[in-house]
Amino acid sequence: MAAGQAAHEGANVTLLEKKNIPGRKLRITGRGRCNLTNIAEVSEFVKHFGKNGKFLRQAFARFFSSDLIDFFNQIGLATKIERGGRVFPESDRAQDVADALLTWIKSQNVRIHTETSINKIITDDDRITGAVTDAKRAIEAEAVIIATGGLSYSLTGSTGDGYRLAKSVGHTIVPTRPSLVPLETGVHFPQHLMGLRLKNVSASLYVNGRKTAQEFGEMEFTDYGLDGPIVLTLSRNAVEPLEHGSKVEISIDLKPALDHNKLDARLLRDIDRHGKMHFNNLLKELLPMQLIPTCMESVQIVPEKSAHQISAEERKRLRLWLKDFRLNISGHRSYDEAIITAGGISLKEIDPRTMESRLVKGLYFCGEVLDLDGDTGGYNLQEAFSTGWLAGRSAAKADPNS
Ligand SMILES: Cc1cc2nc3c(=O)[nH]c(=O)nc-3n(C[C@H](O)[C@H](O)[C@H](O)COP(=O)(O)OP(=O)(O)OC[C@H]3O[C@@H](n4cnc5c(N)ncnc54)[C@H](O)[C@@H]3O)c2cc1C
C-alpha cells in the first residue's frame, strides 16, 4: 500500500521484498479468507488498540475502512461484510487481496525487487540518503519507508529486521512480545479434551486471582492448551503477566446464558425429569461428551449415582463448575504461532500526521513494525493499510519529481 500510494502520487518507487513475492503474510490472513478491515466507527476502532490507539486517529482521518473498501472495489476486488462488521473479499480468498494489490502496484510503475532484503539504511546529518541490500547494493533514495512487519510467522518474511534498522539510527524499540497467541495449559492438561471446540461460551482471564478480561464466543482445545478466537483475544492481556511470573488462569463459563439461579433451576428440572438416570448420562444433557470425564473428576460425584440421589451440595458443586471451569495457564506459544507482535518502534518518535521519523528526515514507518497491536476482527490490517497509505503519500512529497 505504501509503495503503491507513493508511486500514485508521482514518486519514483522501488519496492524491496525479502521473499519471492510481496505479501506472503497477507495471503494466509483470516484462515485464508483475509479479514481486511472492520466497519466499526473510528472511536470504537481505536479502542481495539488499547492505549496506543489514539496515535492512529490522524491516519484514520485520511484513509479509513470505507476508503479501503472503496479502494479495493476500484481495483477490482469485491468485498462483503460479515458478523461483527468484519470485511472479507467476496471470493473468500486472501490470495485475491494480495494479487489485486500486486497488480495495482505494478500498474503504478513500482519497480519490485524480490528476494532482496534491506540490510542497512544510510543517513547523512539526520537525513536519509538511501539503503543497502543484503547483496551490498546501495540504493540512493530521498525517502525510505520501513514496512517490514514484526516477528510473528517468520516464514512469511517478518523476522524483526525493521527493529534493527530503526535502532541503528537511534530509534527506541518498545520491548516486543507475541500477541493474539494460543495459550499453554501445562502438564496437567487433560489430553482427552484435544480437538474439542466450544461455541457460545464466555471465558475470563484471571491474573493473580483478579479478573482482567472477558470474551464471549468460540474456543478450542489443542494438544498443548487453548486456541480459538476468544483465547487469542484474551492472550493480549495474558502474555505480559505470564512473562512476569504472575499466576494466570482462564475460567470458562459453559452456561453463560444462565445465571446461577436459572442454572440451578435447570439442573433441578433435569434431575426431576431423569431421576433414575446415572449422573454420567445426565451430564450428556448438559455438556459435550469430551468434557464429561473432566467434569466428573472435578465435581467428584460418583458416575453411577442416580440423578435423584444427587445431594444439594453435589448439585452446587456441579453448578459452580459449569460456571467456572478453570484452567491454569502455564505459558504461551512462540512468535511463530502469534498473529501479531506487540511492542515495536516507539510511537513517541513518529509523527502521526505523516508517519515520518522525528529523528531522521525522510525515514518513514508503517504497519506492524510500529508499537501497535490490535484485536482480531480486521483491525490490524486496517492499521497496516492506513499507516501504509499515509507513509506512502507523505514520502512521495520528498521526491522532487512527484
Ligand atoms: C496467520 C495470520 C492471520 C492473520 N489474519 C489477519 C486478519 O484476518 N485480519 C487482520 O486484520 N490481521 C490479520 N493478521 C495480522 C496481519 O497479517 C498483520 O498485521 C499485517 O500483515 C502487518 O502488515 P505489515 O505490512 O506491517 O507486515 P507483513 O505483512 O509482515 O509484511 C512485511 C514484509 O516485509 C518483508 N521484509 C521483512 N524484512 C525485510 C527486509 N529487511 N527487507 C525487505 N523486505 C523485508 C517481509 O518479507 C514481508 O513481506 C494475521 C496474521 C497472521 C500471522
Side-chain angles (χ1 to χ4, degrees):
M1 180 60 90
Q5 291 300 336
H8 183 74
E9 291 297 289
N12 185 352
V13 181
T14 303
L15 172 64
L16 304 177
E17 167 56 53
K18 180 194 272 191
K19 304 301 278 191
N20 60 348
I21 189 168
R24 281 192 59 175
K25 185 172 283 174
L26 190 54
R27 289 168 195 276
I28 58 161
T29 51
R31 294 181 185 239
R33 294 176 63 223
C34 184
N35 176 195
L36 52 101
T37 185
N38 192 292
I39 57 161
E41 295 289 322
V42 173
S43 51
E44 184 54 35
F45 212 109
V46 295
K47 283 187 199 152
H48 288 274
F49 289 86
K51 64 177 180 5
N52 283 353
K54 57 184 186 302
F55 174 89
L56 286 166
R57 280 189 174 271
Q58 313 251 15
F60 287 166
R62 302 284 305 282
F63 187 80
F64 194 45
S65 51
S66 54
D67 306 302
L68 185 71
I69 293 167
D70 287 349
F71 166 80
F72 274 116
N73 293 167
Q74 277 161 21
I75 65 169
L77 184 94
T79 50
K80 60 178 174 181
I81 303 170
E82 292 192 2
R83 189 174 45 85
R86 294 165 188 244
V87 179
F88 291 87
E90 208 167 71
S91 65
D92 283 328
R93 281 169 44 99
Q95 298 274 5
D96 293 350
V97 180
D99 286 343
L101 263 181
L102 198 52
T103 306
W104 175 70
I105 60 172
K106 285 179 183 162
S107 76
Q108 302 300 309
N109 298 321
V110 172
R111 271 187 308 278
I112 304 172
H113 295 300
T114 52
E115 296 181 74
T116 309
S117 285
I118 290 197
N119 242 356
K120 202 175 153 200
I121 42 183
I122 324 166
T123 57
D124 181 16
D125 208 11
D126 295 337
R127 191 172 214 311
I128 204 90
T129 56
V132 182
T133 69
D134 48 352
K136 301 209 169 21
R137 187 176 145 218
I139 299 174
E140 282 183 21
E142 305 287 338
V144 169
I145 304 173
I146 305 283
T148 47
L151 281 159
S152 41
Y153 276 69
S154 58
L155 281 178
T156 64
S158 45
T159 50
D161 296 8
Y163 307 134
R164 190 176 44 78
L165 294 170
K167 215 170 161 189
S168 73
V169 292
H171 274 280
T172 311
I173 312 301
V174 174
T176 61
R177 57 180 191 280
S179 191
L180 300 180
V181 66
L183 297 174
E184 294 174 348
T185 38
V187 284
H188 304 298
F189 183 62
Q191 284 296 312
H192 60 266
L193 292 182
M194 196 174 123
L196 172 67
R197 273 171 184 236
L198 297 175
K199 282 186 177 173
N200 300 324
V201 293
S202 169
S204 302
L205 182 76
Y206 284 82
V207 176
N208 292 332
R210 201 172 62 84
K211 182 167 158 178
T212 57
Q214 183 176 359
E215 290 295 325
F216 174 83
E218 270 183 59
M219 59 181 290
E220 65 188 71
F221 292 80
T222 62
D223 55 340
Y224 54 78
L226 306 175
D227 196 355
I230 60 175
V231 172
L232 295 183
T233 304
L234 290 176
S235 77
R236 290 192 69 198
N237 295 301
V239 172
E240 226 176 343
L242 280 168
E243 288 181 355
H244 289 139
S246 303
K247 182 175 168 59
V248 177
E249 295 163 299
I250 281 196
S251 155
I252 306 170
D253 180 350
L254 294 154
K255 300 286 169 199
L258 303 175
D259 64 17
H260 280 272
N261 287 338
K262 285 193 180 134
L263 180 57
D264 199 37
R266 155 90 196 267
L267 293 177
L268 276 171
R269 230 181 19 249
D270 283 359
I271 287 170
D272 258 8
R273 202 177 290 157
H274 309 287
K276 289 194 181 133
M277 195 183 266
H278 285 171
F279 174 61
N280 55 347
N281 288 328
L282 185 75
L283 285 180
K284 290 182 193 159
E285 306 283 316
L286 288 162
L287 290 172
M289 285 293 278
Q290 260 174 291
L291 260 181
I292 292 176
T294 313
C295 173
M296 287 196 304
E297 198 189 317
S298 306
V299 300
Q300 297 280 309
I301 302 174
V302 180
E304 294 78 27
K305 199 169 207 176
S306 299
H308 63 77
Q309 287 178 323
I310 295 171
S311 69
E313 178 53 36
E314 287 171 330
R315 199 176 73 242
K316 180 179 171 191
R317 286 210 298 273
L318 174 60
R319 169 171 54 83
L320 294 179
W321 184 84
L322 289 168
K323 295 293 284 176
D324 182 5
F325 166 30
R326 221 170 253 238
L327 290 155
N328 197 35
I329 304 299
S330 56
H332 57 79
R333 302 302 272 180
S334 72
Y335 280 111
D336 273 341
E337 290 176 57
I339 300 292
I340 194 111
T341 304
I345 295 165
S346 170
L347 302 179
K348 289 186 193 133
E349 297 160 0
I350 310 289
D351 184 343
R353 293 165 305 178
T354 57
M355 295 295 137
E356 189 172 18
S357 159
R358 293 189 196 275
L359 312 182
V360 180
K361 270 208 90 47
L363 179 62
Y364 297 79
F365 295 95
C366 58
E368 196 175 327
V369 73
L370 294 165
D371 178 20
L372 286 165
D373 62 289
D375 287 324
T376 58
Y379 303 102
N380 288 301
L381 279 174
Q382 180 69 49
E383 178 263 308
F385 285 131
S386 291
T387 55
W389 186 96
L390 188 53
R393 293 260 166 152
S394 313
K397 297 203 172 84
D399 186 335
N401 303 316
S402 69

